[in-house]
Amino acid sequence: MENKKYKVALVMICINEMYWPFAKNMIESARIHFLKNQDVDYILWTDMPIENAYGCKIIPTEPVCWPYPTLLRYTLFLQQEEMLKDYDYI
């Protein structure tokens, strides 16, 4: 039986500087523990400088105050709908 490798997008929102360190920890942990045998892309909607991207695909996002990043998350994701259609799982 053949094991299919799925194309997976782990999508994350990290807006405003106080949250940037949390993204680093989550991404480092995901690279170790999350779906190790699958083709995983890490996609980060953020306002952090690109050099701090931790090897993720970055979607530049304007900073907004909490709770807007979480309230508008699906709006942000749908703005990239065409790109996200390439994944088996998100």
Side-chain angles (χ1 to χ4, degrees):
M1 180 178 212
E2 183 180 326
N3 289 336
K4 180 180 180 191
K5 229 178 181 179
Y6 291 100
K7 188 168 182 183
V8 178
L10 179 60
V11 296
M12 302 160 280
I13 298 173
C14 184
I15 299 174
N16 298 317
E17 188 172 358
M18 67 185 283
Y19 296 104
W20 296 351
F22 297 107
K24 179 180 188 279
N25 294 337
M26 184 177 70
I27 293 162
E28 287 175 352
S29 179
R31 289 188 192 281
I32 295 168
H33 303 288
F34 183 70
L35 297 176
K36 295 185 285 190
N37 298 320
Q38 303 303 320
D39 182 15
V40 179
D41 287 337
Y42 301 88
I43 305 172
L44 186 60
W45 278 257
T46 187
D47 59 339
M48 74 174 59
I50 195 79
E51 62 270 7
N52 295 347
Y54 314 116
C56 295
K57 182 180 289 188
I58 295 294
I59 308 297
T61 306
E62 292 295 318
V64 291
C65 295
W66 189 89
Y68 292 108
T70 193
L71 292 174
L72 300 174
R73 66 186 175 271
Y74 297 112
T75 301
L76 292 173
F77 297 156
L78 284 172
Q79 289 171 352
Q80 299 298 319
E81 182 178 8
E82 287 304 311
M83 175 194 63
L84 294 172
K85 284 181 180 180
D86 292 337
Y87 293 93
D88 297 309
Y89 293 99
I90 301 170

